């Protein structure tokens, strides 16, 4: 049988997809374990709940080398109700930890913006630890066109 | 790599109790330790691993940084100012160098 150009393309595309799909299963699971461990260390073993924290990230990042992200936690930043720290994790990076922001009563507001590197399309999470020990999380999926960890 | 150069942006004046926004940037390669040179050798990690901001000696904001922060690390955060004074910013490099910058603010 002689393959037409169209069939040949379809076959290679299918093969590439299958190979890619198979490849992703294990590393992704391992990465999530590393992320979970990191988050548990930060929260002191507590599972964070949704709410109070907002993570802003682009839906599609053309360049994984500089992805702007912002976090904001709904808090008065008084001594009683205060955000101690916010941790950013990128589940699909070779090392999931990105940055940890520490706030004080002099911060006025628990908000910060920075630019991060993302190796591939993945979930980015922001976890806030309050002064009373409660923890909150927000997640966003960022689609990355060109990865940012260099080859 | 050229010597890292910090850049700070914050208002010159503020009213007492106001929450101001501070933007900081320092020029730095943030070599992640993941990249390889053309012979296949890993380029050693060299990043800014910590940043902090103080106002009149009191901590305002600080950050622990991993290689996943982009080159020329940029941080935007806020601070509550009750009195005139000076903000001091400090960046710590993997090689032990410390880069710092100061900027005054006047409270009216």
């Amino acid at each position: 049988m002689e393959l037409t150009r169209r069939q040949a393309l379809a076959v290679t595309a299918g093969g590439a997809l299958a190979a890619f799909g198979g490849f992703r299963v294990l590393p992704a699971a391992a990465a999530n374990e590393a992320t979970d461990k990191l988050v548990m260390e930060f929260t002191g073993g507590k599972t964070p709940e949704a709410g109070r924290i907002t993570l802003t990230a682009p839906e599609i990042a053309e360049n994984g080398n500089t992805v702007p992200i912002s976090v904001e936690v709904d808090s008065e930043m008084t001594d009683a109700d205060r955000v101690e720290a916010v941790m950013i994790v990128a589940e699909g990076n070779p090392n999931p930890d990105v940055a940890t922001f520490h706030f004080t009563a002099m911060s006025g507001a628990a908000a910060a913006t920075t630019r991060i590197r993302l190796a591939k399309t993945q979930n980015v999470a922001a976890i806030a630890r309050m002064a009373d020990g409660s923890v909150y999380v927000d997640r966003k999926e960022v689609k990355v066109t060109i990865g940012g960890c260099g080859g | 790599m050229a010597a890292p150069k910090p850049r700070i942006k914050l208002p010159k004046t503020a009213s007492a109790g106001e929450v101001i926004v501070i933007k900081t940037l320092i020029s730095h390669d943030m070599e992640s330790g993941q990249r390889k040179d053309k012979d296949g050798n890993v380029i050693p990690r060299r990043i800014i691993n910590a940043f902090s901001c103080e106002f009149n000696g009191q901590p305002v904001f600080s950050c622990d940084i991993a290689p996943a922060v982009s080159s020329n690390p940029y941080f935007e955060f806020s601070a509550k100012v009750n009195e005139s004074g000076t903000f001091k910013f400090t960046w710590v490099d993997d090689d032990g160098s410390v880069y710092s910058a100061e900027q005054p603010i006047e409270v009216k």
Side-chain angles (χ1 to χ4, degrees):
Chain A
M1 187 187 85
E2 191 157 317
L3 284 176
T4 64
R5 185 170 175 272
R6 190 164 296 206
Q7 281 168 330
L9 276 177
V11 167
T12 34
L17 264 185
F20 194 54
F23 168 69
R24 280 185 61 162
V25 175
L26 272 177
N32 283 341
E33 225 167 78
T35 311
D36 285 349
K37 198 171 153 239
L38 204 67
V39 171
M40 284 303 148
E41 266 171 32
F42 177 71
T43 62
K46 282 190 198 167
T47 307
E49 16 178 334
R52 292 194 73 173
I53 182 164
T54 315
L55 170 68
T56 312
E59 206 169 300
I60 297 175
E62 279 184 16
N63 182 355
N65 264 316
T66 48
V67 184
I69 57 149
S70 304
V71 286
E72 197 175 351
V73 187
D74 176 23
S75 163
E76 295 290 327
M77 293 305 278
T78 54
D79 281 334
D81 174 38
R82 196 163 62 77
V83 184
E84 254 181 20
V86 171
M87 179 190 231
I88 311 288
V89 290
E91 295 170 4
N93 272 6
N95 296 310
D97 52 335
V98 175
T100 307
F101 303 126
H102 301 275
F103 297 99
T104 67
M106 284 183 67
S107 301
T113 299
T114 189
R115 296 173 189 151
I116 67 171
R117 290 173 173 149
L118 295 175
K120 58 182 182 188
T121 297
Q122 57 181 288
N123 282 322
V124 177
I127 302 111
R129 186 177 67 212
M130 315 297 283
D132 64 5
S134 54
V135 281
Y136 299 94
V137 67
D138 191 19
R139 276 193 181 80
K140 285 274 148 57
E141 191 191 23
V142 182
K143 292 192 169 68
V144 177
T145 319
I146 304 169
C149 283
Chain B
M1 193 176 77
K5 185 172 172 252
R7 282 198 285 171
I8 315 287
K9 203 168 184 184
L10 60 91
K12 284 193 178 66
T13 59
S15 49
E18 192 182 337
V19 176
I20 60 163
V21 172
I22 302 176
K23 295 174 181 177
T24 68
L25 186 142
I26 187 163
S27 60
H28 194 284
D29 289 342
M30 296 292 280
E31 192 56 65
S32 68
Q34 299 282 339
R35 298 199 308 154
K36 290 178 180 154
D37 63 16
K38 60 181 189 297
D39 302 322
N41 304 315
V42 173
I43 303 172
R45 175 182 132 154
R46 188 189 169 187
I47 65 166
I48 299 270
N49 57 41
F51 166 73
S52 64
C53 169
E54 287 178 356
F55 181 64
N56 291 348
Q58 299 267 0
V60 173
F61 173 87
S62 64
C63 185
D64 306 329
I65 308 168
V69 170
S70 303
S71 51
N72 304 331
Y74 167 81
F75 295 103
E76 186 182 321
F77 53 93
S78 51
K80 193 173 179 181
V81 284
N82 295 318
E83 52 185 352
S84 298
T86 309
F87 281 100
K88 188 177 181 209
F89 305 90
T90 315
W91 291 263
V92 181
D93 196 312
D94 268 352
D95 71 4
S97 331
V98 175
Y99 316 112
S100 59
E102 285 186 12
Q103 194 126 328
I105 188 165
E106 193 186 328
V107 169
K108 289 183 176 168

